[in-house]
Amino acid sequence: ETGVTQTPRHLVMGMTNKKSLKCEQHLGHNAMYWYKQSAKKPLELMFVYSLEERVENNSVPSRFSPECPNSSHLFLHLHTLQPEDSALYLCASSQDLIAVKETQYFGPGTRLLVL
Amino acid sequence: AQKITQTQPGMFVQEKEAVTLDCTYDTSDQSYGLFWYKQPSSGEMIFLIYQGSYDEQNATEGRYSLNFQKARKSANLVISASQLGDSAMYFCAMRPDSNYQLIWGAGTKLIIKP
């Protein structure tokens, strides 16, 4: 199943670096999500896009900057990160946002280590 | 408050046995959806099964079934004839009608013993 792809799969960066995470979905979905999964913490929703419009920004620090150029692609731009930002970053998509039955399909994630 | 509780941090199960993973939820919404996901050590979150609050029958998908008890607000996942490949983290999640965000449980780590 390659419905949602993410690159890179692993990333090591220094606190002064700038990098970007990429997510692409091949499912024809209209909504896309970024999640952060830290060790021993529940999944945290970071950003939600619907039809390329951002609909949610869950008090995420400005060092994380999302971009959704079209309904198939989602980026997360990273700059001046902190060691506590080290985590697994998961991208997901769903057909829409409205119905309770909307299933989110996830990519394989990017494991980020900030040194 | 809207909340998902998974009370089993970890479980060991013998291969080929059935396993039940517990999930209770709390919401005041009448309409909601319940989801189970599997996360192997590779990291990908894999959708397993969905149950709607108005669905009269328990959902089934292959070896997975959802034991939905609405009055008790529980949505336990049952895996029949467990396999070594079932070893993973399992997450229960809820999508209430009043909030498009999924509410996640803390997960249960399942280890299948040969």
Side-chain angles (χ1 to χ4, degrees), chain A residues 1 4 9 33 35 37 42-43 45 48 55-56 58 88 90 97-109 111, chain B residues 31-35 37 39-47 50 52-53 91 95-98 100-102 104-106:
Chain A
E1 175 65 48
V4 182
R9 294 294 309 276
Y33 312 75
Y35 285 91
Q37 188 178 30
L43 219 59
L45 180 64
V48 182
V55 297
E56 187 68 45
N58 275 351
L88 178 67
L90 290 163
L97 284 183
I98 309 248
V100 296
K101 65 179 182 179
E102 292 296 348
T103 300
Q104 293 184 25
Y105 294 92
F106 285 79
R111 290 194 186 274
Chain B
S31 176
Y32 50 88
L34 296 158
F35 301 81
Y37 285 85
Q39 188 178 39
S41 56
S42 59
E44 183 174 0
M45 199 73 79
I46 302 166
F47 166 68
Y50 166 81
S53 59
F91 292 92
R95 162 64 156 89
D97 192 32
S98 59
Y100 57 77
Q101 297 188 29
L102 274 178
W104 294 84

Side-chain angles (χ1 to χ4, degrees), chain A residues 78-98:
Chain A
L78 317 171
H79 64 97
T80 58
L81 293 192
Q82 304 298 311
E84 60 264 29
D85 297 323
S86 299
L88 178 67
Y89 289 84
L90 290 163
C91 174
S93 71
S94 65
Q95 184 62 57
D96 286 294
L97 284 183
I98 309 248

